[in-house]
Amino acid sequence: MLPVSIQMRILWTLAMGTVFVVLLQYQSSGAWSQQQGQPVARPDLVAEDLVSMALSKVVVDESAGVSRDLLMGISRQIARYVVYSASCSNVGGGVFGNGVSGGGGYGGGPGMTTVEPSTVYVITPTYRRPEQVADLTRLAQTLMLVRDIHWLVVEDSHVKSPHLGVLLQSFGVRYNHLIAPMPERFKKIRGAKPKGVANRNRGLKWIRQNAVEGVVYFADDDNTYDVRLFNEMRNTQKVSMWPVGLCTRTGLSTPIVKNGQLVGFYDGWIAGRKFPVDMAGFAVSVKFLLERPNAQMPYKPGFEEDGFLRTLAPFEPHQIELKADNCTKILVWHTQTKKNEPSLNVDKEKYKNTNILSLKEIIV
Ligand code: UDP
Ligand code: MN
């Protein structure tokens, strides 16, 4: 049994470490910068600095006979937690280091350096349907964990939905709520429609009018994103790509990499495309986009990605920047939410003056 004074010292050390981690998490969650509305820029801390700060709070007192191993074990736990918190909120290096693939790797390591501040403009097409609010809520919870995100939510509609406006405001993610309806001529088509094209082009127009630096990423509302993906794409110079998990028999859409070089594309549907990639599998530098004023997405079902990437000419496949550890990690999944019938009307008389009527306005 350790003497009481040493037990107290260990408890004190643990308490200080916990307070530090809680404070750090609160700070890195963006909660205190976003409560006032628009998030403000936070200082870029390097993960190692945070670890050293945490370690400096731990007192190792060998003369008193306290096991050095025990204290170092405790301090390592705190350090790991700090690195994890920092990477989740993208304060500092992040789990993929500075975004250069092959850097620190999961869990962080000696290769980690500071991420240059660079905004990721996330363009999300969306449209009214029973799953919409659920899908957008899930995506927002992901984006809330990532620093320097500017979310462009573009509704396929002639009018902005007020309920969506309230919802978007509630997340505390920097955003713009835009509209861009699918042209009538495509709505009438029986087969495959150019889904989300008008919306994405509206997002690109906003970027041209408002952005000068950063990265553009098309993030559909129903996919599944790992928070680390956004740090991966943050330092894109021209166009970067990475694997996308598909829940199909092909299972994947990804650049094929051999000895660190792009040698082709793996996708269930090549169809003569120059860039046979998934919408979720690439990002473009804002500067690169601005130098190509005619770049846009064609209303061509199945060829939206290829058509858009071709309009970035001059740009060839060998210039693609490979991310996610040379395309060995899956950080995004092209998921689909099961389609559902709209809910039934409710009896307005029966539920008069109850919460049911206002809740019914939120759902479809
Ligand atoms: N979308 C849209 N209008 C439509 C259909 C889809 O704005 O009429 C959006 C949708 O919210 C999603 C993107 O376009 O963000 C791609 O659509 P979807 O997920 O249905 O395509 P899939 O993943 O099945 O190819
Ligand atoms: Mn989808």
Side-chain angles (χ1 to χ4, degrees):
M1 193 65 191
L2 292 167
V4 173
S5 65
I6 293 174
Q7 285 180 20
M8 290 304 290
R9 185 172 286 187
I10 292 174
L11 278 175
W12 171 249
T13 303
L14 279 173
M16 288 309 293
T18 308
V19 166
F20 178 81
V21 167
V22 168
L23 274 173
L24 175 85
Q25 278 205 312
Y26 182 60
Q27 188 268 353
S28 48
S29 72
W32 68 26
S33 61
Q34 290 180 3
Q35 272 165 352
Q36 310 299 323
Q38 292 284 306
V40 295
R42 294 195 301 269
D44 258 354
L45 295 174
V46 182
E48 285 103 323
D49 295 343
L50 297 170
V51 176
S52 334
M53 282 158 71
L55 286 174
S56 71
K57 300 277 178 262
V58 180
V59 183
V60 180
D61 188 349
E62 281 182 279
S63 61
V66 178
S67 159
R68 192 183 170 86
D69 285 351
L70 172 69
L71 283 177
M72 287 315 284
I74 294 167
S75 55
R76 266 197 303 275
Q77 288 292 336
I78 295 172
R80 237 174 255 152
Y81 196 37
V82 169
V83 171
Y84 175 75
S85 312
S87 62
C88 284
S89 57
N90 297 312
V91 175
V95 264
F96 277 103
N98 61 359
V100 177
S101 296
Y106 288 104
M112 297 208 309
T113 48
T114 317
V115 177
E116 289 300 317
S118 174
T119 305
V120 177
Y121 293 94
V122 177
I123 299 179
T124 298
T126 188
Y127 70 112
R128 185 177 154 82
R129 61 193 191 282
E131 309 80 38
Q132 181 183 32
V133 172
D135 280 345
L136 285 172
T137 299
R138 189 171 50 228
L139 173 52
Q141 306 306 304
T142 303
L143 298 179
M144 284 159 77
L145 297 169
V146 187
R147 74 161 172 92
D148 282 336
I149 288 289
H150 193 130
W151 196 18
L152 301 174
V153 182
V154 194
E155 274 190 85
D156 178 351
S157 166
H158 289 277
V159 285
K160 279 188 207 177
S161 152
H163 285 290
L164 222 55
V166 172
L167 184 76
L168 295 176
Q169 180 88 57
S170 73
F171 298 129
V173 174
R174 186 156 35 124
Y175 75 98
N176 281 81
H177 183 183
L178 305 168
I179 48 170
M182 183 187 292
E184 285 301 324
R185 64 183 189 281
F186 299 117
K187 280 194 182 155
K188 293 184 197 122
I189 296 177
R190 282 206 157 197
K193 294 186 172 78
K195 296 185 283 190
V197 173
N199 330 33
R200 295 191 196 95
N201 283 331
R202 178 68 189 88
L204 291 176
K205 185 177 169 192
W206 187 97
I207 302 273
R208 292 189 203 288
Q209 292 170 339
N210 298 281
V212 288
E213 61 81 43
V215 179
V216 186
Y217 179 53
F218 298 120
D220 287 356
D221 57 4
D222 54 344
N223 290 340
T224 305
Y225 305 89
D226 188 310
V227 289
R228 292 167 291 194
L229 176 68
F230 301 94
N231 254 6
E232 276 295 284
M233 67 177 78
R234 210 178 278 283
N235 75 340
T236 300
Q237 302 299 305
K238 293 183 170 80
V239 178
S240 57
M241 293 192 184
W242 52 81
V244 178
L246 306 176
C247 305
T248 62
R249 288 178 72 83
T250 310
L252 273 178
S253 171
T254 180
I256 305 171
V257 181
K258 198 171 181 180
N259 299 325
Q261 302 288 318
L262 176 97
V263 294
F265 295 94
Y266 188 93
D267 192 287
W269 192 67
I270 300 293
R273 293 186 293 167
K274 181 173 179 176
F275 300 100
V277 296
D278 192 275
M279 194 64 77
F282 65 91
V284 181
S285 133
V286 167
K287 285 205 173 95
F288 190 71
L289 180 79
L290 296 179
E291 287 161 10
R292 285 149 178 81
N294 298 321
Q296 61 166 341
M297 195 164 285
Y299 287 96
K300 208 171 159 192
F303 292 85
E304 291 95 338
E305 300 89 345
D306 185 50
F308 169 70
L309 290 165
R310 281 172 189 258
T311 65
L312 294 177
F315 177 71
E316 294 301 321
H318 73 265
Q319 295 176 284
I320 293 167
E321 296 147 54
L322 304 170
K323 300 294 186 185
D325 279 351
N326 260 337
C327 296
T328 59
K329 305 260 179 341
I330 298 178
L331 298 176
V332 55
W333 293 83
H334 186 152
T335 43
Q336 285 168 321
T337 308
K338 175 184 159 290
K339 292 220 180 314
N340 300 281
E341 292 298 318
S343 60
L344 299 174
N345 290 332
V346 297
D347 185 333
K348 291 210 172 103
E349 254 328 290
K350 184 174 170 189
Y351 294 104
K352 203 167 149 188
N353 299 325
T354 74
N355 58 331
I356 302 302
L357 296 189
S358 60
L359 287 172
K360 179 66 182 152
E361 283 180 35
I362 299 169
I363 63 170
V364 173

